[in-house]
């Protein structure tokens, strides 16, 4: 165990500058200070702090394995400390994702989102941290399916013998809290039958057929934890690349189509996923449209070398333009479905309260 490295992304929305659109730089400073202390004390190997929209993202490497109480408690304390700053500045939604009062061993189920992957570091190991704002974990289903199972995206599935036998997808049913493992390419249609419903079935992990860990995603649904709408879950994922895994460019190619996801304004609308640079990860128009950023690192004995801001590339301009056009088109529907989410998805928002007021005015026919 000791020689393996764990790449953890732990994130939370604990307040934004001016609404719900971007993390204040002071919160990033607080998080850096906390994590540097932990690094100096040899509790973690390395860290990088960033934000995707209003989500504070802690990227941490360590040798304590997935679900380590020590690492989760460090992340929790960091979010609590940053929340103090957030409250001092009276930022909007200060502390909103910290759903519990005290830490109880693992941040999962307490509000923050977690994606963690433990693996043996290869002689050269490119790892990509992919983070989204204004959407739900199932938003990763389509792009990650394309990256790891669709040869029209990943050429290596056909022409590289080490990818040719395919991958195993671990899919979580977030409503029933259960998990199923499906092999691709053999069970591709079964996989799609599930993950085509991204509000319920969510890719949790992807492993190469020989057991090599390839990717992990956060799966928490805040509304299912809190029983009411408390913001969308704004997921993150760790994806390894190259040398028998999809190339970095094949991973990014999975995001070259602005697919429609649930989230956006009030977590209640469908909108296009726009891949952007970190500096453009701020959800302005109609609190969106939803954004995705990708930071590429090399690992050097767990040290994080980089990052490279991978969507900061004119090659993605047409994707962004298409996303902006789709945003225009969707907005023209105003409050009508399918721009607004369907009733099942709106169950945890403020809409049921509005509808219940009308209940007594209905006349029986
Ligand atoms: C989406 C999100 C925002 C808010 C919206 C209303 O995840 O957080 O779109 O839902 O800005 O926020 P309140 O109700 O706090 O005014
Ligand atoms: Mg927010
Ligand atoms: Mg957010």
């Amino acid at each position: 165990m000791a020689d393996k490295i764990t790449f953890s992304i732990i994130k939370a929305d604990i307040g934004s500058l001016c609404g719900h659109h971007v993390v204040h730089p002071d919160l990033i400073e607080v998080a850096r200070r906390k994590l540097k202390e932990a690094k100096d004390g040899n509790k973690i190997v390395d860290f990088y702090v960033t934000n995707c929209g209003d989500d504070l993202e802690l990227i941490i490497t360590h040798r304590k394995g997935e679900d380590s109480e020590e690492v989760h408690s460090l992340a929790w304390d960091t979010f609590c400390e940053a929340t103090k700053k957030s409250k001092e500045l009276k930022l909007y939604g200060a502390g909103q994702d910290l759903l519990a009062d005290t830490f109880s061993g693992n941040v999962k189920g307490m509000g923050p989102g977690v994606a963690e992957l433990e693996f043996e570091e290869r002689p050269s190991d490119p790892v990509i941290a992919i983070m989204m704002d204004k959407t739900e974990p199932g938003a990763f289903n389509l792009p990650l399916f394309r990256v790891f199972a669709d040869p029209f995206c990943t050429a290596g599935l056909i022409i590289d013998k080490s990818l040719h036998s395919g991958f195993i997808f671990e899919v979580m049913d977030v409503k029933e809290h259960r998990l199923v493992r499906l092999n691709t390419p053999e069970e591709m249609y079964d996989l799609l039958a599930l993950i085509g419903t991204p509000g319920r079935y969510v890719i949790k992990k992807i492993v190469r057929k020989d057991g090599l860990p390839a990717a992990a995603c956060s799966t928490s649904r805040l509304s299912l934890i809190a029983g009411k709408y408390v913001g969308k879950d704004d997921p993150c994922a760790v994806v390894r690349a190259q040398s028998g895994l999809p190339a970095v460019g094949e991973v990014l190619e999975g995001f070259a189509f602005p697919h429609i996801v649930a989230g956006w304004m009030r977590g209640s609308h469908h909108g296009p996923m726009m891949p952007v640079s970190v500096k453009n990860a701020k959800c302005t128009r109609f609190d969106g449209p939803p954004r995705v950023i990708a930071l590429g690192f090399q690992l050097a004995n767990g040290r994080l070398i980089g990052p490279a801001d991978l969507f900061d590339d004119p090659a993605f301009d047409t994707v962004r333009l298409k996303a902006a056009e789709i945003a225009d088109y969707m907005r023209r529907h105003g409050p009508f479905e399918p721009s607004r989410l369907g009733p099942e998805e709106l169950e945890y928002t403020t809409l049921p309260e509005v509808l219940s007021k009308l209940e007594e005015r209905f006349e029986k026919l």
Side-chain angles (χ1 to χ4, degrees), residues 20 92 134 229 231-232 264-267 287:
H20 283 280
Y92 198 70
K134 298 296 181 271
Y229 181 73
K232 272 286 174 198
W264 206 352
M265 174 57 76
R266 297 174 189 277
D287 286 0

Side-chain angles (χ1 to χ4, degrees), residues 162-221:
S162 46
L163 280 82
H164 198 81
S165 40
F167 289 86
I168 304 164
F169 285 71
E170 285 184 13
V171 175
M172 199 163 146
D173 174 349
V174 292
K175 293 229 162 104
E176 295 295 325
H177 209 75
R178 51 191 190 152
L179 187 112
V180 61
R181 288 186 181 81
L182 292 166
N183 294 317
T184 56
E186 312 88 282
E187 299 178 296
M188 181 193 281
Y189 297 164
D190 294 316
L191 175 65
L192 287 170
L194 295 177
I195 64 172
T197 303
R200 172 155 186 186
Y201 299 101
V202 174
I203 297 172
K204 185 172 192 289
K205 223 169 221 185
I206 302 169
V207 176
R208 204 169 63 183
K209 286 273 173 62
D210 63 359
L212 187 96
C217 306
S218 63
T219 54
S220 57
R221 295 286 318 257

